[in-house]
Amino acid sequence: MAKVHFVGAGPGDPELITFKGYQLLKSADVVIYAGSLVNPDLLNYCSKDCKVFNSASMDLIEIIDEMERGVRANKEVIRLQTGDFSIYGSIREQIEELKKREIEFTCTPGVSSFLGAASSLGVEYTVPEVSQSVIITRMAGRTPVPEKESLRSFAQHQTSMVIFLSVQEIKRVVEELLTGGYPPSTPVAVIYKATWPEEKKVVSTLEKIADQIEAADITKTALILVGEFLGDEFHYSKLYDASFKHEYRDVKSDD
């Protein structure tokens, strides 16, 4: 019997899908894609005979029913998810339903939008002596967030942070981050549709970003990046330092 293949579509640019994901799309008989969150240009990789569904108008059971119909007819079914489905991908509930129906599946990862955003800005989240950790989170909305994972509590670390699904609450986001401990001068970048042709970037500070986002009319499909990794302070990695390489070789030779 055929399988359901979960495929990460990447951050937006259709060339940023993985080669394996591209091959799966090319051979797909059925594709169920995640609506406006997925660049429709990716569907150009599908054959003319492929049956395509937009899941924006479907509920969970309708999606699973369509998957089952395809698999029972021995068709290869692709569930095309935005970015990488391991971050706010909502595949857990789909997988649990597939298990109940004894339908096999595979998972092919994609490039997450938070990686696409960093590449678009030409920055690195982990900068020596500035930040060596990245927090990926979101504000509470229709889906609650555990109190111990609030923005305010994470802000105490003042490390690199990427905030999904929250730009519509940018003033609240700023308030929580400032209350938690980030200084008002902390660099912030908001990226709308990172790697898409219509990408917008606003780089500012915590004390100014809310007004600038309002002026730019960015209300959805954007990431908020926070932390000194965006700032001017810079420390070279020792990875390519000549003395570090010599020291590393000496240690290896002692082994």
Side-chain angles (χ1 to χ4, degrees):
M1 189 167 63
K3 298 178 182 179
V4 172
H5 304 279
F6 290 92
V7 175
D13 183 336
E15 294 184 347
L16 288 177
I17 191 170
T18 64
F19 183 62
K20 185 172 183 178
Y22 163 74
Q23 289 181 306
L24 285 167
L25 277 181
K26 279 187 67 177
S27 60
D29 298 303
V30 177
V31 171
I32 305 170
Y33 74 100
S36 62
L37 298 175
V38 169
N39 191 331
D41 287 348
L42 284 162
L43 301 176
N44 294 332
Y45 297 146
C46 302
S47 73
K48 60 181 178 59
D49 298 319
C50 180
K51 197 171 183 181
V52 176
F53 296 88
N54 182 343
S55 66
S57 59
M58 304 166 72
D59 62 29
L60 174 63
I61 299 306
E62 288 172 333
I63 292 169
I64 302 301
D65 286 347
E66 204 57 62
M67 289 177 174
E68 184 171 22
R69 270 191 288 273
V71 168
R72 302 296 181 204
N74 201 33
K75 296 180 183 296
E76 295 295 333
V77 179
I78 307 299
R79 177 58 167 137
L80 192 59
Q81 303 270 160
T82 181
D84 180 80
F85 43 72
S86 65
I87 300 175
Y88 307 117
S90 302
I91 68 165
R92 177 66 182 269
E93 55 263 44
Q94 297 174 70
I95 286 174
E96 291 304 317
E97 287 295 326
L98 292 177
K99 287 179 178 177
K100 289 176 188 176
R101 303 186 191 199
E102 299 184 335
I103 297 172
E104 294 187 21
F105 62 90
T106 69
C107 294
T108 298
V111 177
S112 173
S113 58
F114 89 92
L115 301 173
S119 294
S120 180
L121 286 166
V123 298
E124 180 180 348
Y125 291 113
T126 53
V127 179
E129 300 180 54
V130 174
S131 174
Q132 291 293 284
S133 304
V134 185
I135 293 172
I136 299 170
T137 189
R138 58 182 288 276
M139 282 280 286
R142 285 186 299 176
T143 303
V145 170
E147 182 57 35
K148 63 184 179 181
E149 296 181 20
S150 68
L151 287 185
R152 186 177 302 198
S153 65
F154 283 150
Q156 297 176 43
H157 299 284
Q158 294 188 40
T159 189
S160 304
M161 191 182 297
V162 183
I163 306 170
F164 281 70
L165 305 168
S166 305
V167 74
Q168 71 280 1
E169 295 280 358
I170 186 65
K171 289 184 177 179
R172 254 183 78 210
V173 169
V174 169
E175 181 182 343
E176 288 294 296
L177 294 176
L178 291 174
T179 303
Y182 281 109
S185 59
T186 302
V188 182
V190 172
I191 305 189
Y192 169 78
K193 286 198 167 185
T195 79
W196 293 61
E198 58 266 45
E199 175 187 274
K200 287 184 189 177
K201 292 180 278 195
V202 180
V203 180
S204 187
T205 60
L206 269 180
E207 61 190 340
K208 298 177 182 177
I209 192 68
D211 289 339
Q212 292 173 326
I213 292 308
E214 190 174 310
D217 195 29
I218 298 174
T219 58
K220 60 181 180 179
T221 326
L223 291 175
I224 305 168
L225 281 55
V226 185
E228 290 298 337
F229 73 96
L230 292 164
D232 295 329
E233 186 177 355
F234 180 72
H235 297 266
Y236 282 100
S237 167
K238 292 183 179 179
L239 181 61
Y240 300 109
D241 184 87
S243 62
F244 180 79
K245 285 183 175 293
H246 288 311
E247 182 182 330
Y248 176 75
R249 283 198 295 268
D250 291 342
V251 170
K252 292 296 286 185
S253 63
D254 287 344
D255 292 342

